[in-house]
Amino acid sequence: EEELRALISEHRETRKQLGGLSHTVGYVLEDRAYKGLPELLKKDFGIEIIEPLRRDKFKLNGKRIEVNIIGKGIKEGKEVWIIGEAKTQLKKKDVDTFLRKREVFEKLFPGEKIYLLVTYMDVSDAKEYAEKKKVKVYYSYQFPLA
């Protein structure tokens, strides 16, 4: 019985450590995106970044909303919000989850928006699915390493 309790405790600790590692991998992807996206957004959309991309938290109706990628740019003389999320392995369900947040984003960030997702890889044609829904997908290999 003691060995079983010890094993359960060790298992909890292992899961905690793996969770921390998973967060770290996600943050690295976001950090690379902050550096690489300005050039890609300029090339793909003609957007000049005026408010640096970052991760941030916002409050709406007493709820805390975390946004992985948020910033502002200028496109054809008008301000535009850049709003995105990072997923290590992008799946169609991640795209749907992100799209459900659009209503919240509309309230928090009035005006024109560019929605994007960044990932190491996609599965099950998630990129094509996202882009049909007007969400641009970028891959980690498009961003500089440093």
Side-chain angles (χ1 to χ4, degrees), residues 3 11 77 91 117-118 122 131 144:
E3 286 180 17
H11 178 69
K91 301 173 203 68
L117 292 162
V118 299
D122 69 302
E131 292 189 345

Side-chain angles (χ1 to χ4, degrees), residues 43-78:
K43 180 178 72 99
D44 294 343
F45 297 98
I47 295 173
E48 193 72 44
I49 298 297
I50 59 169
E51 185 179 295
L53 301 174
R54 67 196 186 285
R55 74 181 62 85
D56 211 340
K57 297 173 194 136
F58 302 89
K59 284 211 175 199
L60 180 66
N61 301 328
K63 289 184 179 179
R64 193 182 100 195
I65 311 294
E66 186 174 325
V67 183
N68 293 166
I69 301 167
I70 184 76
K72 252 189 204 174
I74 296 283
K75 178 183 176 187
E76 299 170 358
K78 291 196 235 172

Side-chain angles (χ1 to χ4, degrees), residues 8-9 12-13 28 42 49-50 52 55 79 81 93 96 101 107 110 115 122 125 127-128 136 139 144:
I8 289 169
S9 177
R12 277 192 195 114
E13 182 59 27
V28 168
K42 185 172 188 164
I49 298 297
I50 59 169
R55 74 181 62 85
E79 283 192 0
W81 287 101
K93 74 176 188 168
D96 289 334
K101 296 177 184 176
K107 291 176 183 171
Y115 291 106
D122 69 302
D125 301 321
K127 178 183 189 241
E128 291 80 6
K136 180 71 175 162
Y139 293 96

Side-chain angles (χ1 to χ4, degrees), residues 111-124:
E112 186 180 345
K113 288 165 231 18
I114 297 290
Y115 291 106
L116 57 91
L117 292 162
V118 299
T119 188
Y120 288 112
M121 66 178 290
D122 69 302
V123 295
S124 305

